[in-house]
């Protein structure tokens, strides 16, 4: 598999997310596996905090009108998957 870009830019605004990860790994000497483990643990903790209701006082419910039917109320961060599969 070819390398996406062998030399990331020193300008952090010029690098796509994946390249920033590669640059950080090179600069600070951690592996892709270390990054993946950190991300998985971060998501696990976030999911546990959401399930425990720890963010309820910090997230304001937003009612999103739909073209048809009732509005949908968004009241939690949907970025975090509440169920992680290995």
């Amino acid at each position: 598999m070819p390398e996406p870009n062998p030399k990331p830019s020193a300008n952090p605004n010029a690098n796509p997310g994946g390249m920033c990860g590669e640059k950080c790994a090179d600069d600070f000497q951690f592996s892709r596996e270390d990054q993946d483990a950190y991300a998985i643990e971060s998501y696990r903790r976030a999911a546990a905090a959401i399930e425990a209701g720890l963010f309820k006082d910090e997230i304001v419910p937003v009612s999103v009108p739909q073209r048809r039917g009732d509005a949908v109320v968004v009241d939690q961060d949907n970025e975090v998957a509440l169920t992680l599969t290995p």
Side-chain angles (χ1 to χ4, degrees):
M1 183 170 181
E3 292 292 323
N5 182 355
K7 291 287 183 190
S9 171
N11 176 354
N13 297 321
N15 294 314
M19 291 307 300
C20 287
E22 295 296 325
K23 180 169 179 8
C24 286
D26 289 342
D27 290 353
F28 300 105
Q29 302 302 306
F30 52 80
S31 69
R32 172 60 187 263
E33 290 78 17
D34 292 336
Q35 291 180 69
D36 290 346
Y38 182 87
I40 290 167
E41 180 62 15
S42 176
Y43 266 72
R44 188 196 64 73
R45 289 179 180 182
I50 289 169
E51 288 176 352
L54 297 179
F55 295 124
K56 285 292 183 189
D57 293 339
E58 297 181 30
I59 297 176
V60 177
V62 176
S63 182
V64 182
Q66 305 296 300
R67 287 182 184 238
R68 296 182 193 185
D70 296 333
V72 172
V73 176
V74 179
D75 62 355
Q76 73 179 33
D77 182 353
N78 63 1
E79 169 67 20
V80 178
L82 295 181
T83 305
L84 296 174
T85 56

